[in-house]
Amino acid sequence: MASEEETVFEGYLHDVTQMETSGNNKDYFNCYLQTSGDQYRRCVVFDIKKHGYYVKAAADRKPLKIINAGTILNKFIPGQLDIRIYYASTEKVLMSLDFGYIEKPSIPNSVEEALVPEYVARQRLEVEQQEEVEQEQEEEQEEVEQQEEQEEEQEEEQEEVEQEEEVEQQEKEEVEQEGLTTVRGQVYGVQLAAQRQCSSCHKWQLAFNLTAINHRCKACGLLQRFGSYVQAVNGTLMVNKGDLKLPLTLTSTVLMTYLSQNDLQELLADVQLVEEHFLEVGLFVIQYNAKNEVVVVTTGNV
Ligand SMILES: [Zn+2]
């Protein structure tokens, strides 16, 4: 590329060619612009609508000023710049130039031009046009990437908003937890039941023969070893809260936590042992929620 950008050219048009079509279906034509008494610069015109005007301007030998043009590497002579005329380029007819119209010699501008066949020149032009198309595509790709980046940023912002909402949700849950009731009282009654859950279909088993080695699931019919069933023990604790007799639901999860924290898992061998444990200890500190479900149970002696 030229170090200083040429955009305005003055001269006379010569030898406007017929329309050519490049390999990527872009039409163009060539001509020469006589820019001095003895210099003829090759032009490439991609705006084919200019063809009629250029043919006539050449025939009329009009002195022209071409504005908003550019340069393009000569296909024959490396490093030499031809004039490139764009769609946005405009032509003005001048009153005169300080040099006259001189018929372009039929001899080639250079030896190289004579040696390079026209089809080779066309191929080179196609390559350049292809590069231009690729550059446009790259620019479009960049735009797409920038857009994707923006969308990513928006997604990140969205995630931040969601995280904030999550924090708010957690705070809300904490408030609900703060709404838990804690009672320190005597367990005066307890009713627990052992249930076993099928390891395959997860259905609870109503009748479960503890003396059998195997048990057939009542729901899916799968015969399984006793130990394959997931054990759950849950029920109701009756607690005195002042003068109130409070029935609280004890879930298996909370009970298992209590038993493991107090190293009492062996009591699970017989559910009645667990029930008797609650009555023997007597005093408990129990946290329960609005649905009267026990959340935490600890012995009142701690
Ligand atoms: Zn089952």
Side-chain angles (χ1 to χ4, degrees):
M1 282 291 153
S3 55
E4 55 192 77
E5 205 74 36
E6 295 176 286
T7 59
V8 179
F9 303 88
E10 291 179 348
Y12 305 94
L13 288 174
H14 296 260
D15 294 1
V16 180
T17 66
Q18 293 302 303
M19 220 75 76
E20 304 275 357
T21 304
S22 68
N24 49 6
N25 269 335
K26 271 193 177 178
D27 292 330
Y28 69 94
F29 62 91
N30 296 116
C31 60
Y32 287 89
L33 186 71
Q34 180 197 339
T35 55
S36 70
D38 59 356
Q39 196 184 14
Y40 301 84
R41 287 185 72 173
R42 191 183 165 93
C43 304
V44 182
V45 187
F46 290 112
D47 183 3
I48 57 166
K49 291 195 296 295
K50 294 182 189 293
H51 191 251
Y53 180 89
Y54 272 57
V55 169
K56 193 166 189 306
D60 293 348
R61 305 183 174 189
K62 292 246 178 77
L64 283 185
K65 184 177 190 178
I66 303 171
I67 304 159
N68 273 335
T71 53
I72 184 168
L73 279 170
N74 186 287
K75 297 306 145 195
F76 305 96
I77 307 157
Q80 183 177 303
L81 292 170
D82 291 342
I83 296 165
R84 178 176 194 158
I85 294 154
Y86 303 103
Y87 295 87
S89 305
T90 53
E91 299 80 13
K92 276 184 182 174
V93 179
L94 299 173
M95 294 296 288
S96 64
L97 285 168
D98 56 10
F99 55 91
Y101 179 93
I102 299 165
E103 200 77 49
K104 182 179 174 291
S106 57
I107 57 158
N109 261 8
S110 67
V111 176
E112 289 92 335
E113 192 167 338
L115 292 176
V116 177
E118 185 59 31
Y119 75 89
V120 173
R122 197 177 303 145
Q123 280 176 347
R124 290 177 183 172
L125 184 63
E126 283 166 16
V127 167
E128 183 141 333
Q129 285 181 336
Q130 188 58 40
E131 282 169 359
E132 213 173 272
V133 167
E134 280 167 9
Q135 204 179 330
E136 276 171 26
Q137 285 172 344
E138 272 172 27
E139 280 166 15
E140 279 171 23
Q141 184 59 28
E142 270 174 30
E143 272 174 34
V144 167
E145 278 168 13
Q146 281 178 352
Q147 209 175 327
E148 281 173 0
E149 254 173 51
Q150 278 182 353
E151 280 168 13
E152 242 172 69
E153 275 172 25
Q154 284 172 349
E155 271 174 28
E156 277 168 19
E157 280 171 20
Q158 183 60 28
E159 268 173 31
E160 273 172 30
V161 168
E162 278 169 12
Q163 281 177 351
E164 276 170 26
E165 281 172 1
E166 246 173 61
V167 167
E168 279 171 20
Q169 183 67 25
Q170 279 176 357
E171 281 170 5
K172 206 178 171 189
E173 278 169 15
E174 275 166 25
V175 169
E176 275 172 16
Q177 276 192 344
E178 279 169 15
L180 290 175
T181 308
T182 303
V183 58
R184 182 185 166 88
Q186 195 82 26
V187 171
Y188 70 90
V190 55
Q191 187 189 23
L192 296 174
Q195 283 188 309
R196 281 174 174 80
Q197 194 178 24
C198 173
S199 64
S200 176
C201 74
H202 308 297
K203 285 276 158 45
W204 292 105
Q205 308 297 300
L206 294 173
F208 206 95
N209 184 0
L210 291 172
T211 60
I213 299 168
N214 304 318
H215 176 81
R216 190 180 299 280
C217 173
K218 293 289 182 288
C220 72
L222 187 74
L223 185 68
Q224 295 153 75
R225 292 195 178 283
F226 177 89
S228 297
Y229 286 84
V230 180
Q231 193 180 26
V233 179
N234 46 33
T236 307
L237 292 179
M238 299 301 293
V239 184
N240 286 317
K241 185 190 178 188
D243 294 336
L244 283 175
K245 294 185 189 309
L246 204 61
L248 297 175
T249 302
L250 183 65
T251 63
S252 190
T253 311
V254 174
L255 176 62
M256 295 303 176
T257 304
Y258 168 80
L259 292 177
S260 76
Q261 280 173 351
N262 295 279
D263 237 348
L264 296 167
Q265 292 102 318
E266 59 189 17
L267 297 180
L268 285 167
D270 189 341
V271 173
Q272 195 172 325
L273 292 175
V274 182
E275 290 176 321
E276 285 169 357
H277 167 80
F278 276 101
L279 291 176
E280 277 170 28
V281 173
L283 193 64
F284 287 90
V285 175
I286 298 168
Q287 267 195 329
Y288 61 95
N289 62 22
K291 288 186 275 184
N292 277 9
E293 290 168 343
V294 176
V295 177
V296 182
V297 55
T298 50
T299 57
N301 302 326
V302 178

